[in-house]
Amino acid sequence: CLRYAVLIGDALQQILASSIRPAPLLTATPVRTLVDEQACIKASFLPSNHPVTVCARMRSDEGDLWQSFAHYNTNSRGTFDLNSDLSVGGSYSGCEPMGLFWSMQPAPGERDGLRLRKKCVESPYTVHISLLEGHVSPNQEPVKELAAVTAERWYMAPGVKRQEIRQNGLVGTLFIPPGPGPFPAMLDMWGMGGGLPEYRSSLFASRGYASFCLAYVGHKDLPGPPNTINVRDSYFQAAFQFLQDHSHIAADKVGIVGLSYGCYLTFHTATLAGVKPACLIGINGPVGSSREILRVNSLLSLKHILCILQILMKPLVLMQLEEITCPLMYIVGEDDLSVLSIENADLIEETLRAAGKSHLFTRLSYPGAGHLIEPPYSPMSRATFIFFSCSVMTVWGGHPAPHAAAQEDAWKKMLEFMELNLRR
């Protein structure tokens, strides 16, 4: 009887404890952040040593569903914290405070070959983060949701001004930070995917740098067919001059940044007459012109196509790197399957050394990172479709965890490089 009384007492105690325990709570602090900032995600008021799943879901601007999930075990206090605790499975493993964001992938059933790119920087990504019972997949049915929170991820800080530029033949978008200025500035160019991606420029402006995102291929307001580059050197000279002449920009504090083919244009523009940038940043780009790749329709990676073109065509036209007179940062993803980034970095370094300009060169190299090194906590896409007159499946390379680490580190060092060369 005594033993039964003890058992009944324990059961009553557990019932009483569960009845007074607050409902499970999931928090994301701060709820509203820029996309290059960390959020602290925690859960509390759960049973001790209990399996749970955290799931993140959001819609892209095109309406596609992206998601990630991770398995955690609560501690003896019934809590867990993504800043200090380990994921034991799911979209990523280990201690990854921002893993829910950088590990996102299209949900099952979505279109193939997607790449997450913000189309409208004046609105946030709204991320629904939920806490689920047990170690489960978010696609299982039924799944018990214990708690949830919504986080906003912004590309524009309050007060940043966005202005579409369509003047003197230029096609682009200018972002100006809040305040009177004059501001240091960046001319921002993307790759052969074309169009006018604004999200890096809007983030630069959110960090105090005016930024002019320039279209040069694949935009309806540019001349000629959309799948070829139909602008000349004078176009890029005019874009740089536009920044120098702007009343809110410091004329002697203008840099240039480019990814992929935009990297080639970054270095080439720096050698043009009348263009004197304060610094250059190139990300996984060639140092020779290869516009013919714009018309390739192949499942091969662009890296392999480039090798074939180098064999079958006349040699690529190499720019005069030795003419560069400002600090230059070149960022390498060592698993880049689109461009010969390691070899290009070697060539830049050798050329500047021969010209007595080694002191101008900074090289960042990241094992496991692919071609598309973007702002931090952006999901990695190893292969995506790009569209010209036809669709092309392009292999970018990269592995999620090291690629995410590269994006975080490279962004920090890019901003430090800009601070050193554009503000002092």
Side-chain angles (χ1 to χ4, degrees):
C1 289
L2 180 60
R3 186 163 64 90
Y4 286 130
V6 170
L7 291 173
I8 292 170
D10 289 344
L12 289 173
Q13 200 171 40
Q14 290 178 9
I15 293 171
L16 182 61
S18 64
S19 65
I20 62 175
R21 182 192 300 126
L25 178 65
L26 183 67
T27 60
T29 310
V31 169
R32 176 184 174 136
T33 61
L34 290 173
V35 296
D36 63 352
E37 297 174 333
Q38 287 198 5
C40 181
I41 299 172
K42 299 180 181 180
S44 54
F45 305 124
L46 291 159
S48 61
N49 306 311
H50 192 68
V52 290
T53 297
V54 188
C55 176
R57 286 182 168 180
M58 71 178 191
R59 294 280 177 183
S60 69
D61 287 355
E62 297 88 350
D64 301 299
L65 178 63
W66 289 68
Q67 68 178 27
S68 62
F69 68 100
H71 296 155
Y72 287 88
N73 294 308
T74 65
N75 57 25
S76 59
R77 300 184 303 278
T79 69
F80 69 89
D81 182 342
L82 268 64
N83 280 338
S84 55
D85 293 324
L86 305 179
S87 165
V88 296
S91 302
Y92 63 91
S93 60
C95 183
E96 296 286 354
M98 295 296 289
L100 284 177
F101 299 94
W102 61 250
S103 70
M104 279 192 169
Q105 290 293 306
E110 296 295 336
R111 295 175 293 150
D112 292 332
L114 292 177
R115 176 181 173 189
L116 187 67
R117 308 190 82 183
K118 197 73 175 77
K119 299 294 185 181
C120 177
V121 297
E122 294 177 295
S123 65
Y125 281 133
T126 301
V127 185
H128 179 81
I129 307 171
S130 55
L131 182 63
L132 310 178
E133 177 70 38
H135 288 167
V136 297
S137 164
N139 303 306
Q140 289 178 219
E141 294 292 345
V143 176
K144 181 180 179 182
E145 184 174 279
L146 303 175
V149 66
T150 298
E152 291 185 356
R153 306 286 290 172
W154 287 82
Y155 283 87
M156 279 180 64
V160 170
K161 300 179 181 66
R162 176 185 176 273
Q163 180 184 4
E164 293 186 7
I165 303 298
R166 305 290 187 274
Q167 63 186 57
N168 300 325
L170 294 175
V171 177
T173 306
L174 177 66
F175 292 89
I176 299 290
F183 302 102
M186 295 295 287
L187 175 60
D188 184 5
M189 293 182 283
W190 286 85
M192 295 180 298
L196 189 56
E198 298 179 355
Y199 52 93
R200 187 168 59 198
S201 279
S202 61
L203 274 180
F204 281 149
S206 299
R207 296 302 174 203
Y209 300 90
S211 188
F212 183 34
C213 180
L214 183 68
Y216 62 87
V217 67
H219 193 283
K220 63 181 178 61
D221 294 333
L222 290 169
N227 60 324
T228 57
I229 299 175
N230 300 291
V231 294
R232 299 182 181 276
D233 287 351
S234 58
Y235 181 80
F236 303 100
Q237 290 170 308
F240 190 84
Q241 191 66 47
F242 167 78
L243 285 174
Q244 286 192 310
D245 292 343
H246 198 281
S247 60
H248 286 80
I249 292 172
D252 61 340
K253 300 293 184 182
V254 179
I256 313 176
V257 59
L259 167 73
S260 192
Y261 194 80
C263 174
Y264 166 78
L265 292 173
T266 292
F267 299 155
H268 177 67
T269 302
T271 66
L272 299 177
V275 177
K276 298 295 181 185
C279 66
L280 304 172
I281 300 175
I283 306 168
N284 285 330
V287 294
S289 174
S290 55
R291 297 182 185 181
E292 293 79 2
I293 292 177
L294 291 171
R295 295 188 291 274
V296 171
N297 180 12
S298 173
L299 292 176
L300 293 173
S301 74
L302 289 184
K303 183 174 183 178
H304 296 152
I305 295 167
L306 181 56
C307 291
I308 294 169
L309 289 173
Q310 286 176 315
I311 295 170
L312 299 181
M313 297 169 43
K314 62 183 180 180
L316 297 179
V317 179
L318 298 179
M319 68 190 75
Q320 302 301 309
L321 290 167
E322 64 275 6
E323 295 181 6
I324 291 174
T325 59
C326 65
L328 182 159
M329 172 180 279
Y330 188 83
I331 299 171
V332 177
E334 294 184 12
D335 191 46
D336 186 349
L337 298 181
S338 180
V339 169
L340 302 165
S341 297
I342 296 174
E343 293 84 349
N344 283 308
D346 292 340
L347 179 57
I348 297 168
E349 189 168 12
E350 292 165 7
T351 303
L352 292 178
R353 184 188 304 117
K357 298 179 179 180
S358 293
H359 61 286
L360 297 178
F361 186 62
T362 300
R363 176 174 179 161
L364 304 180
S365 196
Y366 296 101
H371 184 69
L372 300 175
I373 296 179
E374 303 202 78
Y377 317 126
S378 304
M380 189 202 83
S381 295
R382 188 172 175 86
T384 66
F385 281 111
I386 58 175
F387 297 92
F388 300 108
S389 57
C390 54
S391 62
V392 181
M393 176 61 84
T394 304
V395 182
W396 307 112
H399 302 277
H403 189 89
Q407 291 189 146
E408 185 173 9
D409 187 73
W411 183 253
K412 174 175 176 279
K413 289 178 178 173
M414 283 171 60
L415 293 178
E416 290 172 351
F417 183 77
M418 291 161 60
E419 180 75 19
L420 177 65
N421 293 290
L422 296 180
R423 291 195 190 275
R424 298 183 183 178

